[in-house]
Amino acid sequence: MLLTFDDFDSRLPSGRLWRGFAPPANMGPLGTYWTTPSGNPAFGFFDNFHSFQASTLEGPYKILESAGCTVEQIVDTATEKGLVQLAIDGNAADDEAVLQWGRGLGAPFLFSDKDLVFECRLTVSAITAAKWSIFSGLALADGTDGAGITDKIFADTTELLVTTFSGVGFQHLSAEGAAWDGAYKAASQTAQDGSTKTKLDTLHTMVANTYVKLGFRYRAHPKTLEFFVNNSLPGGNITPARLTATELAAATFPASTVPMAPVIGIKDNAGAALNLKMDWWGAAQLL
């Protein structure tokens, strides 16, 4: 019987999303070079969180934890082997928990002339509206701290993406309940999400304590960016969650010269507890 990468991806990276890249092995969080099936070189990382650092100074991640909040490895489950949890304790509004690969310094990913892929598998403990804003994807790393410092992703009070934010990924805004939109924004530009583009609206309806795979694929030729949920392109062939070359060339999309690093972050809106568990994440780009 002939099996493909797709046949094994219920909990693993999505075959359709990663097609053309070598299936990511657990190379460790530091990143490495490898060769695609076509023989083209690529750079990337894949972290299954079998181990995790205690602080920013000890490993490849920058960690932001407001008072009482944590970003830590937690106990494995019967199905998830390796977990990191971003926990908001709910003791104060505007608290944050953020994890950024590269410690604000390493940012090898560019929306330029090479194909790029990002994906993560996560779940949240609650989906109550007006409680939290969450972002997962690639974001600006400015060579100092990037998105992994206070108020670099979401603004206090409004819990919307801050003016200086530049990135691409999935967002859940505190004003909504279970909806997760595709989103992108260049610094000093208006954020683009489901409120401005119907094809990015509610790409996933989250269910508490149920895992989902969220990812996107940037294709340099022809220039497009597609959002994937659980190995599928929302909207199908009729209204696909796909950005066109024109949209990618607009001022609202991060410029091809802006260095990006994987980041996931939560902003507490109303002082309510939340646990976000991430089973794994990874990103890769052709060289």
Side-chain angles (χ1 to χ4, degrees), residues 32 55 58 60 91 99 152 155 157 175 198 223 226 231 239 250 285:
T32 188
S55 71
E58 297 178 16
N91 70 340
L99 181 66
K152 282 290 189 176
T157 308
T198 302
K223 187 168 288 187
E226 297 175 330
N231 198 33
T239 56
Q285 186 161 32

Side-chain angles (χ1 to χ4, degrees), residues 167-234:
V168 178
F170 288 81
Q171 74 172 18
H172 162 72
L173 296 180
S174 62
E176 300 180 340
W180 285 63
D181 288 3
Y184 63 94
K185 182 184 180 302
S188 302
Q189 297 291 325
T190 300
Q192 304 296 303
D193 54 27
S195 66
T196 59
K197 294 182 180 294
T198 302
K199 62 185 175 182
L200 298 183
D201 189 31
T202 314
L203 299 187
H204 177 63
T205 300
M206 186 66 77
V207 177
N209 299 310
T210 300
Y211 280 89
V212 62
K213 295 185 294 185
L214 304 174
F216 56 80
R217 175 70 177 261
Y218 168 77
R219 302 181 191 275
H221 307 288
K223 187 168 288 187
T224 57
L225 189 143
E226 297 175 330
F227 292 86
F228 279 74
V229 176
N230 288 332
N231 198 33
S232 295
L233 183 67

Side-chain angles (χ1 to χ4, degrees), residues 32-186:
T32 188
Y33 294 92
W34 79 88
T35 302
T36 68
S38 64
N40 294 320
F43 173 85
F45 85 100
F46 181 79
D47 196 354
N48 208 16
F49 299 115
H50 290 306
S51 63
F52 190 67
Q53 67 196 72
S55 71
T56 292
L57 297 178
E58 297 178 16
Y61 289 109
K62 186 169 186 66
I63 299 171
L64 170 64
E65 301 167 318
S66 295
C69 302
T70 60
V71 180
E72 296 179 351
Q73 185 180 10
I74 60 173
V75 176
D76 293 351
T77 70
T79 53
E80 282 69 47
K81 310 301 183 184
L83 286 168
V84 69
Q85 177 173 271
L86 285 69
I88 298 291
D89 67 345
N91 70 340
D94 298 321
D95 274 357
E96 293 180 279
V98 179
L99 181 66
Q100 182 181 9
W101 182 86
R103 296 177 60 189
L105 303 172
F109 303 110
L110 299 169
F111 291 97
S112 55
D113 60 348
K114 302 293 184 180
D115 283 18
L116 167 64
V117 63
F118 167 88
E119 190 175 28
C120 64
R121 183 172 185 259
L122 58 82
T123 186
V124 293
S125 59
I127 55 172
T128 312
K131 299 295 185 182
W132 318 273
S133 287
I134 305 170
F135 177 86
S136 179
L138 299 182
L140 168 68
D142 59 10
T144 304
D145 290 296
I149 59 175
T150 303
D151 301 333
K152 282 290 189 176
I153 302 179
F154 294 108
D156 289 347
T157 308
T158 66
E159 277 69 48
L160 299 175
L161 294 173
V162 298
T163 300
T164 57
F165 180 83
S166 183
V168 178
F170 288 81
Q171 74 172 18
H172 162 72
L173 296 180
S174 62
E176 300 180 340
W180 285 63
D181 288 3
Y184 63 94
K185 182 184 180 302

